[in-house]
Structures are given as C-alpha cells and as structure tokens.
Amino acid sequence: MTERGLTMQSKRSKNLAERGKKVMPAGVSSPVRAFRAVGGDPVYIARAEGAIVTDVDDNSYIDYVCSWGPLILGHCHPDVLGAIQRAAVHGTSYGAPHEGEITLAEAIVEAMPWIEMLRFVNSGTEAAMSALRLARAATGRSKIVKFEGNYHGHVDYLLVKAGSGVATFGLPDSSGVPPQTTRDSLVAAFNHLDAVENLFKEYGETIAAVIVEPVAGNMGVIPPAEGFLTGLRQLTQSYGALLIFDEVITGFRVSRGGAAGLYDVKPDLVCLGKIIGGGLPVGAYGGDRRLMELVAPLGPVYQAGTLSGNPLAMAAGLATIRKLTPELYALCEIKGKALQQGLCEAANRCGIAAQVNRVGSMLSLFFLDHPVIDSSTAFSTDRTLYGRLFHALLRRGVYLPPSALESWFVSSAHSESLIERTLEAFTPALQETLSN
Ligand code: KE4
C-alpha cells in the first residue's frame, strides 16, 4: 500500500458512480454499499489482495469489510484462487451432481456434526427462507420468532425490524411487503429471554421456529447474553418449536463449529453462507437428518436452485475451510483483541465514550457510554459521528464498513503491522472527527 496524504483522488470513482446510477439503483448491487449511512459516494474497487483493497483511483485501504464476512483468509488467497482456477477449467456449472459439493458438505458436517445433512443454495437469504419453510412443514405451524436487529436476508416476512441495511435506513418494514405477509412474524428483543418466554406463553403451540443470529452481526456485533442461547434451546424444546441458528456470518467465523460450537448450544437447523463459499455466491441450510429428508425430492418441501452447489463456489469454500486451523483462529483472536483494545484506548485518549463489542475476528465500535446488549442500545449509537470517522479513516487508508450497524472483519491476512497502522490512523482520524 503506497503512503498517501489525506487528499485522496476520487475522480474515476465519481465517474463510475455517475455511470452506475444510470443503470443500477444508486449505482450499486446491494444497498449498504452506496455509502448512504455514512454520506458521500462510494469508492469503486479495482482490485484486492490479502487485507488490502485498491480503488479505481489507485487509493489503497486496509479492508475491514472483507466482502461482509466471507474472506476470513483475505482477498485472493493463493489456495482459494488455485482451487477456483482448477475447477473452472473443467466447467463452471453442470446443473448436475458432482463430487465437489459432496466433499464440501462432508467437510461442513465433520466440523458441525449437529448438521447431519444439508442442501446448498446461492445466498444467505435463500438459506434462511428454505430453513423456515422446512420448519413450518416439519411442525405444521406458521408463526416464526425473529429478533429486532437480526437480519436473515431480504425474505418478505423476515423484513420486520431487521438489521443491516434495513436497520441502517430505519426501515422497520420494507415497502412492497403486504401486511398479511408478516402477520406470522413475531419479533422479540435480542438477549431478552423474557420477551421470548412471553411470546411462547401466548403463541407457543403455533410457533414453528425461532430464528436467531447466535452472535448478532447486523446491528453491529452483540454477543449472546449468558444463558440466552441455552434459554432459546430449552423454550423451543418445551413447546415443540425448532431452533434455527442463522450462522451465515458466524459459521466458521467465530470457531470451526460456528457459534453453536463456541457456545455449545445445538440448534435443529443451521443457515450458512459467506465463508463456506470462499467469496463466491453460496448458502446452505442443514441439520437433523429427519428434518432434511423432508426436502424435495425426498419429501414435500420444495426448494431448488440453478447454480446451487456450483463447482466454483464449492471449490472456493472447500479451499477456505481446509485452511481454518486452531492456529488460524488463535491468531485471529489475538489480532481482533489487539484491534479492540487499541480502539478503546484511542477513544479514551480522545475523551469520547466508546464500546467495542467483539467475538473472535468480528467486532464493532459504538459511540456510547454504556454496554451494547440489544437493538435499542445498538440503535442509539452516534451514527453521524461514525459517518464522519468513516471518511476520516478512508482518507487515511482504512476502509471500515460504511455503516455503524455492521460488523468489522479481521482476516488472517491482517498482519500485526496492518493492525498497528490502523490504530496509528485511528487516533488522528477520531481527533479530526471530534474537532469538526
Ligand atoms: P445474503 O442473501 O446477502 O447472501 O445473506 C443474507 C444474510 C443472512 N443472514 C445473515 C446473518 C447475514 O448477515 C446476511 C447478509 N449480511 C449482510 C451484511 N450484514 C450482507 C451485506 C449486504 O446486504 O450487502
């Protein structure tokens, strides 16, 4: 990464933004990328390698977005690139079964034995949608429980008090979702077990499933409170509902066994994505064999996908998870902790109250003087301040998620010196932000 002054060139990005806006909503393929939550126009990325992304004006940045989670090994890891290249010369999609999807499924089942069987899909949204359809079929019930600030993709009936881009835009419900679509979607406060108990007391026998991000990542990072996940497990069991862990972010991120492995709470169904595709489009849902055998063509629950299990995503995912050793997680823990401590110390030095929540290599910074434990605390963070800090750091070569309500990601490619350079940039960036 070349040293640069604070003035960064952005001419080409601005031209691309103008071009893009003519043919794509806000010139982006996903809302959060448009910088609406932090202001200004996005920088358009030209290339990436390791922990560095470089925009079309040749500005390089230490990247803490990491494609929103998939790139736990960083960009263009040689093993992942090599696996994609070796697969690509034999074809990009067969629309037929092949060995690569079996091998990846076996690797996932080995790492998460509470998943006895799984089905690949092409996104986290599809994984969540399919898992809930299966839960409704298996229980014969319609209602589902989700948590305010949790985001499970853009399924109509889950866009109620969602997190990520929906929370960022303050859209408690997306337009275009007819009211009747969400009448079976119940919402509780994350980490508030009593709220879930009350829903079960009122609707218990009609609830098909509880779906939860076991570590919240879409309202910023919020770890589960002591006993929260165990409580959900006990409640769902006692009322005959299924427990679904949406591990699209946390799967293979917080441990090789995801959050279920880390906290030793076993769900009935798991949604996966991101890391298992190594940066290519992927999702998966799986769990108890009895449940998965209800999925077509074995059973009556229909779900399908043209590119599901495609050879390239399978190869990239397998190459990625094969590198996820205890040593790699230990290193990511050390780097995540160093970043967390450095951010807290810098905020303290600058006299601004800040909380940094972290689980392993996923973390978030909140400008608040009290712990962030649920959506109401998370949503009260100073998003304007975050937006100004985002740009102050961008000018200093650090690329944070362009929203206060997202997770930062540290990869194995984030060297100690890059963490140090991030922290060296953070204090002056925060001082500049506070002085404006
Ligand atoms: P996709 O459909 O975007 O592949 O996955 C949806 C999804 C499901 N579950 C969880 C826990 C997720 O975090 C996501 C998607 N994550 C967001 C970032 N918070 C993707 C970024 C974006 O929307 O552009």
Side-chain angles (χ1 to χ4, degrees):
M1 187 171 76
T2 53
E3 281 297 341
R4 274 181 307 101
L6 294 190
T7 50
M8 48 186 265
Q9 287 302 317
S10 57
K11 188 165 174 298
R12 290 202 176 111
S13 270
K14 287 198 183 319
N15 290 343
L16 286 176
E18 289 321 304
R19 261 179 64 195
K21 286 171 185 172
K22 293 191 179 91
V23 287
M24 302 188 296
V28 295
S29 295
S30 198
V32 70
R33 304 178 194 174
F35 280 20
R36 292 295 171 95
V38 294
D41 272 327
V43 291
Y44 281 67
I45 303 302
R47 58 189 181 278
E49 187 170 358
I52 305 299
V53 290
T54 303
D55 70 19
V56 291
D57 293 289
D58 211 26
N59 302 300
S60 292
Y61 311 93
I62 303 170
D63 177 24
Y64 287 97
V65 176
C66 293
S67 177
W68 303 97
L71 304 178
I72 192 167
L73 301 180
H75 296 272
C76 293
H77 188 286
D79 292 19
V80 178
L81 271 193
I84 294 169
Q85 287 159 346
R86 285 191 298 277
V89 296
H90 296 299
T92 57
S93 173
Y94 310 128
H98 64 97
E99 186 177 4
E101 55 197 335
I102 299 170
T103 311
L104 180 57
E106 288 169 341
I108 292 169
V109 167
E110 185 197 5
M112 303 175 175
W114 46 92
I115 298 177
E116 295 178 315
M117 185 181 273
L118 61 86
R119 166 64 62 85
F120 289 112
V121 293
N122 294 287
S123 69
T125 295
E126 275 188 85
M129 172 174 71
S130 309
L132 283 161
R133 181 181 304 140
L134 175 56
R136 283 170 157 165
T139 60
R141 303 174 179 180
S142 302
K143 289 203 174 350
I144 57 116
V145 175
K146 76 173 290 289
F147 293 91
E148 183 165 5
N150 275 189
Y151 175 69
H152 308 290
H154 58 92
V155 189
D156 271 1
Y157 59 82
L158 290 178
L159 285 177
V160 277
K161 298 188 188 304
S164 189
V166 180
T168 301
F169 296 131
L171 303 177
D173 301 300
S174 169
S175 61
V177 178
Q180 65 270 25
T181 316
T182 60
R183 67 165 174 256
D184 286 325
S185 305
L186 305 172
V187 183
F190 184 77
N191 273 338
H192 291 253
L193 200 56
D194 55 341
V196 190
E197 282 164 352
N198 293 337
L199 286 177
F200 270 98
K201 280 178 189 147
E202 187 169 355
Y203 302 101
E205 308 304 337
T206 64
I207 294 174
V210 172
I211 185 166
V212 65
E213 291 181 52
V215 174
N218 285 292
M219 47 180 150
V221 174
I222 303 182
E226 185 67 37
F228 179 62
L229 298 178
T230 310
L232 293 181
R233 181 65 284 179
Q234 288 162 354
L235 261 177
T236 45
Q237 242 143 13
S238 56
Y239 281 90
L242 299 186
L243 179 59
I244 302 175
F245 275 8
D246 179 344
E247 298 228 44
V248 167
I249 289 182
T250 54
F252 292 97
R253 167 64 62 175
V254 297
S255 91
R256 197 171 167 80
L262 183 66
Y263 296 104
D264 196 20
V265 175
K266 302 301 179 282
D268 299 297
L269 290 171
V270 181
C271 305
L272 295 169
K274 298 185 192 268
I275 288 175
I276 67 163
L280 270 67
V282 76
Y285 65 103
D288 190 294
R289 180 180 302 279
R290 282 177 307 104
L291 292 171
M292 293 307 292
E293 287 176 345
L294 292 171
V295 176
L298 275 186
V301 180
Y302 193 73
Q303 175 271 313
T306 304
L307 289 168
S308 296
N310 74 80
L312 303 195
M314 300 296 100
L318 187 62
T320 299
I321 65 177
R322 277 179 169 163
K323 302 292 289 184
L324 303 182
T325 61
E327 295 73 23
L328 181 133
Y329 286 109
L331 261 178
C332 283
E333 171 63 25
I334 290 166
K335 293 171 190 177
K337 191 172 184 178
L339 182 59
Q340 176 187 33
Q341 286 177 339
L343 295 173
C344 291
E345 287 160 9
N348 199 27
R349 278 197 301 275
C350 295
I352 176 91
Q355 311 288 325
V356 181
N357 284 357
R358 179 181 67 85
V359 178
S361 55
M362 60 188 283
L363 64 155
S364 293
L365 166 70
F366 301 91
F367 288 116
L368 286 167
D369 61 1
H370 52 273
V372 180
I373 56 159
D374 56 18
S375 50
S376 63
T377 41
F379 292 169
S380 62
T381 187
D382 188 334
R383 301 184 214 188
T384 308
L385 191 57
Y386 180 88
R388 294 213 306 271
L389 173 67
F390 171 87
H391 286 286
L393 280 168
L394 198 66
R395 287 193 296 276
R396 290 170 171 82
V398 176
Y399 191 100
L400 298 185
S403 160
L405 298 174
E406 293 286 357
S407 173
W408 306 16
F409 294 104
V410 175
S411 78
S412 58
H414 284 77
S415 62
E416 270 181 54
S417 66
L418 287 178
I419 300 286
E420 278 161 27
R421 286 180 64 171
T422 303
L423 294 171
E424 281 160 15
F426 186 77
T427 300
L430 187 53
Q431 285 166 338
E432 174 192 313
T433 303
L434 294 170
S435 60
N436 287 350

